[in-house]
Amino acid sequence: MKRNCKFCWIILGLFLLGNVLLLSVWWLKSNRCDWERGERRSSSREEYTNQMRLFLNEKASIDSVQFAQISILRGDYYVLLEPLKSNVDSLRKELAFYTFSDGKDTSVVADLVGEIVRNQQDIEYLNCKHYKEVRQVCYSEEQKRKLDQAFRDFISKHHKRRRGHGPR
């Protein structure tokens, strides 16, 4: 009987040691990932900018002066875009909460959907205005045509549709 008890204590000790070891590895890894994530954000933004610069240079012969102008336009665009996108997201969450509640008032749903549509409409107008401003950076009609094609290629390759927006 004593031997069985000693064996149980050894097994219990091994489980405890394994848990401590597993938790310490997990804790060290999560701290390292948090640190790397902070580093990765800034480097990935720079990497994306460099990839975009190379892509526009290759596809539309956009030089560094033009790219600097496009970067300024892009910064201004995102300042206007982010509040609209966050508003759409919060309205969608509110609509989802209402959908799963016991509320039966369809006017609330109509109001929320109407607000989402108005914000989405503002986003689409902003997108169109931004692209027209980017096109004005081009030196010639040929460069505009190449830029148009580059954006079409990029959008067809990278544009992800949200659920409910039709087939791809």
Side-chain angles (χ1 to χ4, degrees):
M1 182 106 178
K2 243 182 179 185
R3 185 174 179 165
N4 288 342
C5 192
K6 187 176 182 181
F7 183 71
C8 290
W9 281 109
I10 290 173
I11 295 292
L12 186 62
L14 288 174
F15 279 132
L16 181 64
L17 184 64
N19 283 336
V20 168
L21 190 63
L22 183 67
L23 288 173
S24 62
V25 167
W26 179 54
W27 180 75
L28 287 172
K29 188 175 180 180
S30 80
N31 282 343
R32 192 180 80 229
C33 287
D34 291 344
W35 178 75
E36 285 176 351
R37 218 177 287 130
E39 289 286 315
R40 211 177 304 148
R41 277 192 199 130
S42 62
S43 68
S44 67
R45 190 174 302 139
E46 291 170 12
E47 188 176 308
Y48 176 76
T49 300
N50 288 334
Q51 288 175 350
M52 191 168 134
R53 179 188 326 248
L54 290 172
F55 176 78
L56 291 176
N57 184 284
E58 177 186 317
K59 297 287 184 177
S61 304
I62 299 293
D63 63 23
S64 60
V65 173
Q66 290 172 308
F67 187 77
Q69 293 171 335
I70 290 171
S71 294
I72 291 168
L73 291 172
R74 192 176 77 183
D76 296 342
Y77 165 73
Y78 280 115
V79 165
L80 298 173
L81 180 67
E82 288 306 316
L84 291 170
K85 284 174 57 176
S86 83
N87 195 28
V88 167
D89 290 342
S90 67
L91 288 167
R92 284 183 175 156
K93 284 180 186 173
E94 193 175 335
L95 180 62
F97 287 134
Y98 189 79
T99 299
F100 299 114
S101 73
D102 291 334
K104 296 185 186 331
D105 187 7
T106 57
S107 67
V108 172
V109 173
D111 290 343
L112 288 171
V113 169
E115 268 303 302
I116 291 170
V117 168
R118 281 187 284 284
N119 278 278
Q120 193 62 44
Q121 184 179 18
D122 290 344
I123 288 171
E124 297 304 327
Y125 280 125
L126 184 62
N127 289 342
C128 185
K129 179 182 172 226
H130 171 65
Y131 185 72
K132 295 228 181 256
E133 290 172 346
V134 169
R135 285 184 90 235
Q136 290 177 354
V137 171
C138 294
Y139 297 137
S140 66
E141 287 301 315
E142 175 67 17
Q143 195 176 36
K144 285 181 183 178
R145 187 186 61 71
K146 287 180 179 178
L147 183 68
D148 292 346
Q149 188 59 47
F151 272 105
R152 282 187 195 106
D153 292 346
F154 181 82
I155 288 171
S156 68
K157 190 174 186 180
H158 294 96
H159 185 61
K160 295 178 183 167
R161 292 183 171 267
R162 288 188 176 193
R163 193 172 41 152
H165 289 198
R168 258 192 132 200

